mmCIF file of all heavy atoms in Angstrom:
data_model
loop_
_atom_site.group_PDB
_atom_site.id
_atom_site.type_symbol
_atom_site.label_atom_id
_atom_site.label_comp_id
_atom_site.label_asym_id
_atom_site.label_seq_id
_atom_site.Cartn_x
_atom_site.Cartn_y
_atom_site.Cartn_z
ATOM 1 N N VAL Z 1 -17.315 -32.733 -1.367
ATOM 2 C CA VAL Z 1 -16.573 -32.987 -0.124
ATOM 3 C C VAL Z 1 -17.474 -32.663 1.059
ATOM 4 O O VAL Z 1 -18.144 -31.634 1.097
ATOM 5 C CB VAL Z 1 -15.266 -32.166 -0.088
ATOM 6 C CG1 VAL Z 1 -15.528 -30.672 -0.191
ATOM 7 C CG2 VAL Z 1 -14.453 -32.483 1.165
ATOM 8 N N THR Z 2 -17.517 -33.578 2.024
ATOM 9 C CA THR Z 2 -18.295 -33.346 3.238
ATOM 10 C C THR Z 2 -17.488 -32.496 4.217
ATOM 11 O O THR Z 2 -16.284 -32.284 4.054
ATOM 12 C CB THR Z 2 -18.657 -34.678 3.903
ATOM 13 O OG1 THR Z 2 -17.462 -35.260 4.443
ATOM 14 C CG2 THR Z 2 -19.299 -35.643 2.916
ATOM 15 N N SER Z 3 -18.157 -32.049 5.269
ATOM 16 C CA SER Z 3 -17.452 -31.278 6.301
ATOM 17 C C SER Z 3 -16.415 -32.145 7.008
ATOM 18 O O SER Z 3 -15.440 -31.619 7.552
ATOM 19 C CB SER Z 3 -18.445 -30.709 7.306
ATOM 20 O OG SER Z 3 -19.181 -31.753 7.910
ATOM 21 N N GLY Z 4 -16.598 -33.447 6.951
ATOM 22 C CA GLY Z 4 -15.635 -34.361 7.564
ATOM 23 C C GLY Z 4 -14.488 -34.738 6.656
ATOM 24 O O GLY Z 4 -13.580 -35.460 7.073
ATOM 25 N N GLY Z 5 -14.539 -34.266 5.406
ATOM 26 C CA GLY Z 5 -13.443 -34.518 4.491
ATOM 27 C C GLY Z 5 -13.628 -35.683 3.550
ATOM 28 O O GLY Z 5 -12.744 -35.979 2.740
ATOM 29 N N SER Z 6 -14.746 -36.368 3.625
ATOM 30 C CA SER Z 6 -15.011 -37.445 2.672
ATOM 31 C C SER Z 6 -15.277 -36.844 1.303
ATOM 32 O O SER Z 6 -15.953 -35.824 1.188
ATOM 33 C CB SER Z 6 -16.205 -38.270 3.123
ATOM 34 O OG SER Z 6 -15.932 -38.905 4.349
ATOM 35 N N THR Z 7 -14.744 -37.497 0.280
ATOM 36 C CA THR Z 7 -14.846 -36.957 -1.073
ATOM 37 C C THR Z 7 -15.454 -37.959 -2.034
ATOM 38 O O THR Z 7 -15.422 -39.173 -1.804
ATOM 39 C CB THR Z 7 -13.462 -36.532 -1.593
ATOM 40 O OG1 THR Z 7 -12.591 -37.679 -1.584
ATOM 41 C CG2 THR Z 7 -12.858 -35.437 -0.733
ATOM 42 N N ASP Z 8 -15.986 -37.446 -3.111
ATOM 43 C CA ASP Z 8 -16.511 -38.276 -4.181
ATOM 44 C C ASP Z 8 -16.301 -37.533 -5.498
ATOM 45 O O ASP Z 8 -16.317 -36.296 -5.514
ATOM 46 C CB ASP Z 8 -17.994 -38.576 -3.974
ATOM 47 C CG ASP Z 8 -18.461 -39.738 -4.819
ATOM 48 O OD1 ASP Z 8 -17.610 -40.501 -5.337
ATOM 49 O OD2 ASP Z 8 -19.688 -39.891 -4.997
ATOM 50 N N TYR Z 9 -16.096 -38.297 -6.558
ATOM 51 C CA TYR Z 9 -15.778 -37.711 -7.853
ATOM 52 C C TYR Z 9 -16.554 -38.398 -8.963
ATOM 53 O O TYR Z 9 -16.821 -39.608 -8.889
ATOM 54 C CB TYR Z 9 -14.277 -37.854 -8.149
ATOM 55 C CG TYR Z 9 -13.387 -37.210 -7.124
ATOM 56 C CD1 TYR Z 9 -12.944 -37.917 -6.006
ATOM 57 C CD2 TYR Z 9 -12.993 -35.886 -7.262
ATOM 58 C CE1 TYR Z 9 -12.139 -37.320 -5.054
ATOM 59 C CE2 TYR Z 9 -12.179 -35.280 -6.318
ATOM 60 C CZ TYR Z 9 -11.761 -36.001 -5.227
ATOM 61 O OH TYR Z 9 -10.959 -35.406 -4.286
ATOM 62 N N THR Z 10 -16.861 -37.656 -9.996
ATOM 63 C CA THR Z 10 -17.394 -38.285 -11.178
ATOM 64 C C THR Z 10 -16.273 -39.103 -11.821
ATOM 65 O O THR Z 10 -15.085 -38.761 -11.694
ATOM 66 C CB THR Z 10 -17.960 -37.240 -12.147
ATOM 67 O OG1 THR Z 10 -18.717 -37.879 -13.156
ATOM 68 C CG2 THR Z 10 -16.863 -36.417 -12.777
ATOM 69 N N ASP Z 11 -16.643 -40.185 -12.488
ATOM 70 C CA ASP Z 11 -15.636 -41.125 -12.978
ATOM 71 C C ASP Z 11 -14.579 -40.474 -13.873
ATOM 72 O O ASP Z 11 -13.410 -40.851 -13.841
ATOM 73 C CB ASP Z 11 -16.318 -42.263 -13.742
ATOM 74 C CG ASP Z 11 -17.019 -43.247 -12.815
ATOM 75 O OD1 ASP Z 11 -16.762 -43.201 -11.597
ATOM 76 O OD2 ASP Z 11 -17.824 -44.061 -13.315
ATOM 77 N N SER Z 12 -14.988 -39.504 -14.666
ATOM 78 C CA SER Z 12 -14.068 -38.936 -15.653
ATOM 79 C C SER Z 12 -12.919 -38.143 -15.046
ATOM 80 O O SER Z 12 -11.930 -37.859 -15.736
ATOM 81 C CB SER Z 12 -14.828 -38.059 -16.646
ATOM 82 O OG SER Z 12 -15.430 -36.971 -15.975
ATOM 83 N N VAL Z 13 -13.022 -37.780 -13.769
ATOM 84 C CA VAL Z 13 -11.960 -36.981 -13.148
ATOM 85 C C VAL Z 13 -11.250 -37.721 -12.021
ATOM 86 O O VAL Z 13 -10.297 -37.187 -11.442
ATOM 87 C CB VAL Z 13 -12.492 -35.628 -12.621
ATOM 88 C CG1 VAL Z 13 -13.259 -34.895 -13.715
ATOM 89 C CG2 VAL Z 13 -13.340 -35.799 -11.377
ATOM 90 N N LYS Z 14 -11.687 -38.930 -11.713
ATOM 91 C CA LYS Z 14 -11.059 -39.685 -10.630
ATOM 92 C C LYS Z 14 -9.577 -39.885 -10.913
ATOM 93 O O LYS Z 14 -9.182 -40.245 -12.012
ATOM 94 C CB LYS Z 14 -11.759 -41.036 -10.454
ATOM 95 C CG LYS Z 14 -13.085 -40.943 -9.737
ATOM 96 C CD LYS Z 14 -13.733 -42.316 -9.568
ATOM 97 C CE LYS Z 14 -15.066 -42.194 -8.839
ATOM 98 N NZ LYS Z 14 -15.756 -43.496 -8.737
ATOM 99 N N GLY Z 15 -8.769 -39.639 -9.903
ATOM 100 C CA GLY Z 15 -7.333 -39.786 -10.044
ATOM 101 C C GLY Z 15 -6.634 -38.556 -10.600
ATOM 102 O O GLY Z 15 -5.405 -38.486 -10.610
ATOM 103 N N ARG Z 16 -7.409 -37.581 -11.058
ATOM 104 C CA ARG Z 16 -6.826 -36.359 -11.629
ATOM 105 C C ARG Z 16 -7.197 -35.112 -10.835
ATOM 106 O O ARG Z 16 -6.397 -34.186 -10.725
ATOM 107 C CB ARG Z 16 -7.285 -36.183 -13.083
ATOM 108 C CG ARG Z 16 -6.909 -37.345 -13.993
ATOM 109 C CD ARG Z 16 -7.224 -37.019 -15.459
ATOM 110 N NE ARG Z 16 -8.638 -36.795 -15.713
ATOM 111 C CZ ARG Z 16 -9.137 -35.663 -16.206
ATOM 112 N NH1 ARG Z 16 -8.344 -34.647 -16.483
ATOM 113 N NH2 ARG Z 16 -10.437 -35.549 -16.415
ATOM 114 N N PHE Z 17 -8.411 -35.078 -10.311
ATOM 115 C CA PHE Z 17 -8.896 -33.916 -9.571
ATOM 116 C C PHE Z 17 -8.948 -34.232 -8.081
ATOM 117 O O PHE Z 17 -9.223 -35.365 -7.683
ATOM 118 C CB PHE Z 17 -10.297 -33.524 -10.034
ATOM 119 C CG PHE Z 17 -10.380 -32.931 -11.412
ATOM 120 C CD1 PHE Z 17 -9.321 -32.962 -12.294
ATOM 121 C CD2 PHE Z 17 -11.570 -32.333 -11.822
ATOM 122 C CE1 PHE Z 17 -9.415 -32.423 -13.557
ATOM 123 C CE2 PHE Z 17 -11.679 -31.780 -13.092
ATOM 124 C CZ PHE Z 17 -10.602 -31.828 -13.959
ATOM 125 N N THR Z 18 -8.717 -33.207 -7.282
ATOM 126 C CA THR Z 18 -8.832 -33.344 -5.834
ATOM 127 C C THR Z 18 -9.615 -32.162 -5.282
ATOM 128 O O THR Z 18 -9.243 -31.005 -5.518
ATOM 129 C CB THR Z 18 -7.449 -33.386 -5.166
ATOM 130 O OG1 THR Z 18 -6.680 -34.455 -5.718
ATOM 131 C CG2 THR Z 18 -7.588 -33.589 -3.667
ATOM 132 N N ILE Z 19 -10.678 -32.464 -4.564
ATOM 133 C CA ILE Z 19 -11.474 -31.428 -3.927
ATOM 134 C C ILE Z 19 -11.088 -31.344 -2.460
ATOM 135 O O ILE Z 19 -10.786 -32.351 -1.822
ATOM 136 C CB ILE Z 19 -12.990 -31.696 -4.084
ATOM 137 C CG1 ILE Z 19 -13.810 -30.508 -3.594
ATOM 138 C CG2 ILE Z 19 -13.390 -32.994 -3.379
ATOM 139 C CD1 ILE Z 19 -15.304 -30.622 -3.912
ATOM 140 N N SER Z 20 -11.073 -30.129 -1.943
ATOM 141 C CA SER Z 20 -10.779 -29.932 -0.523
ATOM 142 C C SER Z 20 -11.547 -28.712 -0.038
ATOM 143 O O SER Z 20 -12.155 -27.988 -0.831
ATOM 144 C CB SER Z 20 -9.276 -29.759 -0.300
ATOM 145 O OG SER Z 20 -8.788 -28.635 -1.006
ATOM 146 N N ARG Z 21 -11.524 -28.514 1.266
ATOM 147 C CA ARG Z 21 -12.216 -27.364 1.836
ATOM 148 C C ARG Z 21 -11.424 -26.842 3.018
ATOM 149 O O ARG Z 21 -10.626 -27.557 3.627
ATOM 150 C CB ARG Z 21 -13.638 -27.731 2.235
ATOM 151 C CG ARG Z 21 -13.741 -28.769 3.335
ATOM 152 C CD ARG Z 21 -15.177 -29.275 3.448
ATOM 153 N NE ARG Z 21 -16.093 -28.229 3.903
ATOM 154 C CZ ARG Z 21 -17.413 -28.323 3.783
ATOM 155 N NH1 ARG Z 21 -17.960 -29.390 3.217
ATOM 156 N NH2 ARG Z 21 -18.196 -27.363 4.242
ATOM 157 N N ASP Z 22 -11.683 -25.596 3.344
ATOM 158 C CA ASP Z 22 -11.043 -24.952 4.481
ATOM 159 C C ASP Z 22 -11.892 -25.243 5.707
ATOM 160 O O ASP Z 22 -12.915 -24.604 5.927
ATOM 161 C CB ASP Z 22 -10.943 -23.453 4.218
ATOM 162 C CG ASP Z 22 -10.533 -22.683 5.457
ATOM 163 O OD1 ASP Z 22 -10.036 -23.311 6.406
ATOM 164 O OD2 ASP Z 22 -10.713 -21.458 5.466
ATOM 165 N N ASN Z 23 -11.468 -26.198 6.503
ATOM 166 C CA ASN Z 23 -12.284 -26.597 7.654
ATOM 167 C C ASN Z 23 -12.110 -25.680 8.859
ATOM 168 O O ASN Z 23 -12.831 -25.814 9.839
ATOM 169 C CB ASN Z 23 -11.962 -28.039 8.055
ATOM 170 C CG ASN Z 23 -12.586 -29.034 7.096
ATOM 171 O OD1 ASN Z 23 -13.700 -28.841 6.634
ATOM 172 N ND2 ASN Z 23 -11.873 -30.093 6.788
ATOM 173 N N ALA Z 24 -11.177 -24.757 8.765
ATOM 174 C CA ALA Z 24 -10.980 -23.827 9.872
ATOM 175 C C ALA Z 24 -12.120 -22.809 9.913
ATOM 176 O O ALA Z 24 -12.703 -22.549 10.966
ATOM 177 C CB ALA Z 24 -9.636 -23.125 9.734
ATOM 178 N N LYS Z 25 -12.436 -22.279 8.744
ATOM 179 C CA LYS Z 25 -13.492 -21.260 8.681
ATOM 180 C C LYS Z 25 -14.698 -21.717 7.874
ATOM 181 O O LYS Z 25 -15.749 -21.086 7.912
ATOM 182 C CB LYS Z 25 -12.945 -19.971 8.062
ATOM 183 C CG LYS Z 25 -11.844 -19.307 8.879
ATOM 184 C CD LYS Z 25 -11.418 -17.998 8.228
ATOM 185 C CE LYS Z 25 -10.352 -17.307 9.054
ATOM 186 N NZ LYS Z 25 -9.921 -16.021 8.437
ATOM 187 N N ASN Z 26 -14.541 -22.804 7.136
ATOM 188 C CA ASN Z 26 -15.634 -23.317 6.298
ATOM 189 C C ASN Z 26 -16.172 -22.277 5.331
ATOM 190 O O ASN Z 26 -17.372 -22.248 5.048
ATOM 191 C CB ASN Z 26 -16.777 -23.854 7.174
ATOM 192 C CG ASN Z 26 -16.497 -25.257 7.645
ATOM 193 O OD1 ASN Z 26 -16.046 -26.106 6.888
ATOM 194 N ND2 ASN Z 26 -16.748 -25.510 8.911
ATOM 195 N N THR Z 27 -15.301 -21.431 4.831
ATOM 196 C CA THR Z 27 -15.724 -20.430 3.858
ATOM 197 C C THR Z 27 -15.048 -20.599 2.513
ATOM 198 O O THR Z 27 -15.176 -19.736 1.648
ATOM 199 C CB THR Z 27 -15.427 -19.008 4.370
ATOM 200 O OG1 THR Z 27 -14.026 -18.909 4.657
ATOM 201 C CG2 THR Z 27 -16.234 -18.688 5.614
ATOM 202 N N ALA Z 28 -14.338 -21.705 2.327
ATOM 203 C CA ALA Z 28 -13.641 -21.888 1.059
ATOM 204 C C ALA Z 28 -13.606 -23.363 0.680
ATOM 205 O O ALA Z 28 -13.574 -24.249 1.537
ATOM 206 C CB ALA Z 28 -12.214 -21.349 1.145
ATOM 207 N N ALA Z 29 -13.615 -23.580 -0.600
ATOM 208 C CA ALA Z 29 -13.428 -24.915 -1.151
ATOM 209 C C ALA Z 29 -12.478 -24.781 -2.337
ATOM 210 O O ALA Z 29 -12.360 -23.705 -2.928
ATOM 211 C CB ALA Z 29 -14.758 -25.519 -1.593
ATOM 212 N N TYR Z 30 -11.825 -25.877 -2.657
ATOM 213 C CA TYR Z 30 -10.817 -25.831 -3.702
ATOM 214 C C TYR Z 30 -10.952 -27.050 -4.611
ATOM 215 O O TYR Z 30 -11.402 -28.110 -4.176
ATOM 216 C CB TYR Z 30 -9.411 -25.827 -3.085
ATOM 217 C CG TYR Z 30 -9.202 -24.742 -2.069
ATOM 218 C CD1 TYR Z 30 -9.422 -24.996 -0.718
ATOM 219 C CD2 TYR Z 30 -8.806 -23.477 -2.450
ATOM 220 C CE1 TYR Z 30 -9.257 -24.004 0.228
ATOM 221 C CE2 TYR Z 30 -8.637 -22.473 -1.508
ATOM 222 C CZ TYR Z 30 -8.857 -22.738 -0.180
ATOM 223 O OH TYR Z 30 -8.691 -21.748 0.748
ATOM 224 N N LEU Z 31 -10.540 -26.861 -5.856
ATOM 225 C CA LEU Z 31 -10.480 -27.986 -6.783
ATOM 226 C C LEU Z 31 -9.108 -27.963 -7.448
ATOM 227 O O LEU Z 31 -8.803 -27.046 -8.214
ATOM 228 C CB LEU Z 31 -11.587 -27.900 -7.839
ATOM 229 C CG LEU Z 31 -11.697 -29.115 -8.749
ATOM 230 C CD1 LEU Z 31 -12.149 -30.348 -7.945
ATOM 231 C CD2 LEU Z 31 -12.669 -28.856 -9.894
ATOM 232 N N GLN Z 32 -8.291 -28.935 -7.107
ATOM 233 C CA GLN Z 32 -6.993 -29.098 -7.750
ATOM 234 C C GLN Z 32 -7.174 -30.001 -8.949
ATOM 235 O O GLN Z 32 -7.622 -31.141 -8.805
ATOM 236 C CB GLN Z 32 -5.972 -29.711 -6.786
ATOM 237 C CG GLN Z 32 -4.610 -29.989 -7.395
ATOM 238 C CD GLN Z 32 -3.869 -28.723 -7.776
ATOM 239 O OE1 GLN Z 32 -3.844 -27.760 -7.013
ATOM 240 N NE2 GLN Z 32 -3.258 -28.725 -8.955
ATOM 241 N N MET Z 33 -6.837 -29.498 -10.115
ATOM 242 C CA MET Z 33 -7.041 -30.242 -11.353
ATOM 243 C C MET Z 33 -5.685 -30.516 -12.000
ATOM 244 O O MET Z 33 -4.982 -29.577 -12.371
ATOM 245 C CB MET Z 33 -7.933 -29.447 -12.307
ATOM 246 C CG MET Z 33 -9.260 -29.035 -11.690
ATOM 247 S SD MET Z 33 -10.393 -28.283 -12.884
ATOM 248 C CE MET Z 33 -9.464 -26.830 -13.317
ATOM 249 N N ASN Z 34 -5.350 -31.772 -12.121
ATOM 250 C CA ASN Z 34 -4.092 -32.189 -12.749
ATOM 251 C C ASN Z 34 -4.387 -32.996 -14.003
ATOM 252 O O ASN Z 34 -5.505 -33.471 -14.209
ATOM 253 C CB ASN Z 34 -3.276 -33.028 -11.768
ATOM 254 C CG ASN Z 34 -2.888 -32.272 -10.516
ATOM 255 O OD1 ASN Z 34 -2.692 -31.054 -10.541
ATOM 256 N ND2 ASN Z 34 -2.782 -32.992 -9.406
ATOM 257 N N SER Z 35 -3.374 -33.167 -14.822
ATOM 258 C CA SER Z 35 -3.495 -33.958 -16.050
ATOM 259 C C SER Z 35 -4.729 -33.552 -16.845
ATOM 260 O O SER Z 35 -5.518 -34.395 -17.280
ATOM 261 C CB SER Z 35 -3.545 -35.462 -15.704
ATOM 262 O OG SER Z 35 -2.409 -35.856 -14.985
#
């Protein structure tokens, strides 16, 4: 995930995983993994 919020995923997790980041402090990133 870029600082602007653009994301990219490896094919095997597309549609299941979501990456995000804390843009307020830029000290955290997250990976939501479903299915």
Side-chain angles (χ1 to χ4, degrees):
V1 59
T2 70
S3 59
S6 297
T7 59
D8 197 16
Y9 301 89
T10 192
D11 286 346
S12 62
V13 308
K14 283 181 180 176
R16 301 188 298 121
F17 290 11
T18 303
I19 188 171
S20 60
R21 64 192 294 164
D22 169 16
N23 284 322
K25 296 183 178 180
N26 278 316
T27 57
Y30 306 93
L31 187 67
Q32 177 67 44
M33 305 187 296
N34 298 329
S35 302

